[in-house]
Coordinates of all heavy atoms in Angstrom, one line a residue:
N238 N 196.1 113.6 76.1 CA 196.1 112.2 76.5 C 197.4 111.9 77.2 O 197.5 111.2 78.2 CB 195.8 111.3 75.4 CG 195.2 110.0 75.8 OD1 194.6 109.9 76.8 ND2 195.5 108.9 75.1
Q239 N 198.5 112.3 76.6 CA 199.9 112.0 77.2 C 200.0 112.7 78.5 O 200.6 112.2 79.4 CB 200.9 112.5 76.2 CG 201.1 111.6 75.0 CD 201.6 110.2 75.4 OE1 200.9 109.2 75.3 NE2 202.8 110.1 75.8
A240 N 199.6 113.9 78.6 CA 199.8 114.7 79.8 C 198.9 114.3 81.0 O 199.3 114.4 82.2 CB 199.6 116.2 79.5
Y241 N 197.7 113.9 80.7 CA 196.7 113.6 81.8 C 196.2 112.2 81.9 O 195.3 111.9 82.7 CB 195.5 114.6 81.6 CG 195.9 116.1 81.7 CD1 195.9 116.9 80.6 CD2 196.2 116.7 82.9 CE1 196.2 118.2 80.6 CE2 196.5 118.0 83.0 CZ 196.5 118.8 81.8 OH 196.9 120.1 81.9
H242 N 196.7 111.3 81.1 CA 196.1 109.9 81.0 C 196.2 109.3 82.4 O 195.2 108.6 82.8 CB 196.9 109.1 80.0 CG 196.3 107.7 79.8 ND1 196.6 106.6 80.6 CD2 195.3 107.3 79.0 CE1 195.9 105.6 80.2 NE2 195.1 106.0 79.2
D243 N 197.2 109.5 83.1 CA 197.4 108.9 84.5 C 196.6 109.6 85.6 O 196.5 109.1 86.7 CB 198.8 108.7 84.8 CG 199.6 107.8 83.9 OD1 198.9 106.9 83.3 OD2 200.8 108.0 83.7
N244 N 196.2 110.8 85.3 CA 195.5 111.6 86.3 C 194.5 112.5 85.5 O 194.6 113.7 85.3 CB 196.4 112.5 87.1 CG 195.7 113.3 88.2 OD1 194.5 113.0 88.5 ND2 196.4 114.2 88.8
Q245 N 193.4 111.8 85.0 CA 192.5 112.5 84.1 C 191.7 113.5 84.7 O 191.3 114.5 84.1 CB 191.6 111.4 83.4 CG 192.4 110.4 82.6 CD 191.5 109.4 81.9 OE1 190.3 109.5 81.9 NE2 192.2 108.5 81.2
S246 N 191.4 113.4 86.0 CA 190.7 114.5 86.7 C 191.4 115.8 86.8 O 190.8 116.8 87.0 CB 190.3 114.0 88.1 OG 191.4 113.8 88.9
Q247 N 192.7 115.7 86.6 CA 193.5 117.0 86.7 C 193.1 117.9 85.5 O 193.0 119.1 85.7 CB 195.0 116.7 86.6 CG 195.9 118.0 86.7 CD 197.4 117.7 86.7 OE1 197.8 116.5 86.5 NE2 198.2 118.7 86.8
F248 N 192.8 117.3 84.4 CA 192.3 118.1 83.2 C 190.9 118.6 83.5 O 190.6 119.8 83.3 CB 192.3 117.2 82.0 CG 191.8 117.9 80.7 CD1 192.6 118.9 80.1 CD2 190.5 117.7 80.3 CE1 192.1 119.5 78.9 CE2 190.0 118.3 79.1 CZ 190.8 119.2 78.5
T249 N 190.0 117.8 83.9 CA 188.6 118.2 84.1 C 188.5 119.2 85.2 O 187.5 120.0 85.3 CB 187.7 117.0 84.3 OG1 188.1 116.2 85.4 CG2 187.6 116.1 83.0
D250 N 189.4 119.1 86.2 CA 189.4 120.0 87.3 C 189.5 121.4 86.8 O 188.9 122.4 87.4 CB 190.5 119.7 88.4 CG 190.1 118.5 89.2 OD1 188.9 118.0 89.2 OD2 191.0 117.9 89.9
H251 N 190.4 121.6 85.8 CA 190.5 123.0 85.3 C 189.2 123.5 84.7 O 188.8 124.6 84.9 CB 191.6 122.9 84.2 CG 193.0 123.0 84.7 ND1 193.5 124.0 85.3 CD2 194.0 122.1 84.6 CE1 194.8 123.8 85.7 NE2 195.1 122.6 85.2
L252 N 188.5 122.6 84.0 CA 187.3 123.0 83.4 C 186.2 123.4 84.4 O 185.4 124.3 84.2 CB 186.7 121.9 82.5 CG 187.7 121.3 81.5 CD1 187.0 120.2 80.6 CD2 188.3 122.4 80.6
Y253 N 186.3 122.7 85.5 CA 185.3 123.0 86.6 C 185.8 124.2 87.4 O 184.9 125.0 87.8 CB 185.2 121.8 87.6 CG 184.3 120.7 87.1 CD1 184.5 120.1 85.8 CD2 183.3 120.2 87.8 CE1 183.7 119.1 85.4 CE2 182.4 119.2 87.4 CZ 182.7 118.6 86.1 OH 181.8 117.6 85.7
E254 N 187.1 124.5 87.5 CA 187.6 125.7 88.1 C 187.1 126.9 87.3 O 186.9 128.0 87.8 CB 189.1 125.7 88.2 CG 189.6 124.7 89.3 CD 191.1 124.5 89.2 OE1 191.7 125.2 88.4 OE2 191.6 123.7 89.9
W255 N 187.1 126.7 86.0 CA 186.6 127.8 85.1 C 185.1 127.9 85.0 O 184.6 128.6 84.2 CB 187.2 127.6 83.7 CG 188.7 127.7 83.7 CD1 189.5 128.3 84.6 CD2 189.6 126.9 82.8 NE1 190.9 128.1 84.3 CE2 191.0 127.3 83.2 CE3 189.4 126.1 81.7 CZ2 192.1 126.7 82.6 CZ3 190.6 125.6 81.1 CH2 191.9 125.9 81.5
H256 N 184.4 127.0 85.7 CA 182.9 127.0 85.8 C 182.3 126.7 84.5 O 181.1 127.2 84.2 CB 182.4 128.4 86.4 CG 183.0 128.7 87.7 ND1 182.5 128.2 88.9 CD2 184.1 129.5 88.0 CE1 183.2 128.7 89.9 NE2 184.2 129.5 89.4
L257 N 182.9 126.0 83.6 CA 182.4 125.6 82.4 C 181.2 124.6 82.5 O 180.4 124.5 81.6 CB 183.4 125.0 81.4 CG 184.6 125.9 81.0 CD1 185.5 125.2 80.1 CD2 184.0 127.2 80.4
N258 N 181.1 124.0 83.6 CA 180.0 123.1 83.9 C 178.8 123.7 84.5 O 177.8 123.1 84.8 CB 180.5 122.0 84.8 CG 180.9 122.5 86.2 OD1 181.6 123.5 86.3 ND2 180.5 121.9 87.3
E259 N 178.8 125.0 84.7 CA 177.8 125.8 85.4 C 177.1 126.8 84.4 O 177.7 127.3 83.5 CB 178.3 126.5 86.6 CG 179.0 125.7 87.7 CD 179.6 126.5 88.7 OE1 179.5 127.7 88.7 OE2 180.3 125.9 89.6
K260 N 175.8 127.0 84.7 CA 175.1 128.1 84.0 C 175.7 129.4 84.3 O 176.3 129.7 85.3 CB 173.6 128.1 84.4 CG 172.8 126.9 83.8 CD 171.3 127.1 84.2 CE 170.5 125.9 83.6 NZ 169.1 126.1 83.9
L261 N 175.5 130.3 83.4 CA 176.1 131.7 83.5 C 175.2 132.6 84.4 O 175.6 133.6 84.8 CB 176.2 132.4 82.1 CG 177.3 131.8 81.2 CD1 177.1 132.3 79.8 CD2 178.7 132.2 81.8
G262 N 174.0 132.1 84.7 CA 173.0 132.9 85.5 C 172.6 134.2 84.7 O 172.7 135.3 85.3
L263 N 172.1 134.0 83.5 CA 171.7 135.1 82.7 C 170.5 135.8 83.2 O 169.7 135.3 84.0 CB 171.5 134.6 81.3 CG 172.6 133.9 80.6 CD1 172.2 133.4 79.2 CD2 173.9 134.8 80.5
Q264 N 170.3 137.0 82.7 CA 169.1 137.8 83.0 C 167.8 137.5 82.3 O 166.8 138.0 82.6 CB 169.4 139.3 82.8 CG 170.5 139.9 83.6 CD 171.0 141.3 83.2 OE1 171.2 141.5 82.0 NE2 171.1 142.2 84.1

């Protein structure tokens, strides 16, 4: 909260860069 409160998308951008919001495309 202290690190990203003023720029909250900076934190979620990491999660999206790691594709945590996407399916794994399993077999």
Side-chain angles (χ1 to χ4, degrees):
N238 202 32
Q239 286 294 110
Y241 298 106
H242 186 271
D243 295 333
N244 186 7
Q245 298 187 2
S246 62
Q247 185 180 1
F248 177 77
T249 58
D250 285 347
H251 281 295
L252 308 183
Y253 281 55
E254 288 169 7
W255 299 331
H256 303 276
L257 296 183
N258 62 315
E259 301 173 6
K260 288 185 178 182
L261 290 166
L263 302 176
Q264 295 171 311

